[in-house]
Amino acid sequence: MSDFASLADRLESIVEELDDMAFDRLRQASATGATQRPPEDKQLTKARRAVEKAAHVLRTLDGSRSDGPQLT
């Protein structure tokens, strides 16, 4: 496995962690009766997308393809 692929794998793990964090925030908000998304949810989503794009770029540099959605 190349350095690019290894780093892309690590970034994909971070994507999963960001998903978990966002879901936890949504669950907590729902449990407290909130009717809107928590303010940090939008920022977590932006961070997730940025990390996902970085992983995709590294996969492209490595010459391999991600199992996830292909970003443009």
Side-chain angles (χ1 to χ4, degrees):
M1 181 180 294
S2 76
D3 290 341
F4 293 133
S6 176
L7 187 53
D9 287 346
R10 290 172 33 208
L11 288 173
E12 287 169 359
S13 293
I14 292 170
V15 167
E16 291 174 15
E17 289 181 46
L18 288 167
D19 278 342
D20 291 342
M21 290 175 71
F23 188 70
D24 287 344
R25 298 296 190 289
L26 289 171
R27 189 176 326 144
Q28 290 170 356
S30 177
T32 61
T35 58
Q36 295 181 344
R37 290 168 47 183
E40 67 270 12
D41 182 58
K42 186 174 182 177
Q43 293 302 105
L44 285 170
T45 300
K46 286 171 80 173
R48 181 197 181 279
R49 287 182 185 144
V51 174
E52 188 175 48
K53 286 179 183 182
H56 174 73
V57 169
L58 291 170
R59 294 270 183 222
T60 302
L61 290 172
D62 184 50
S64 62
R65 302 199 86 161
S66 171
D67 293 334
Q70 298 299 310
L71 303 175
T72 56

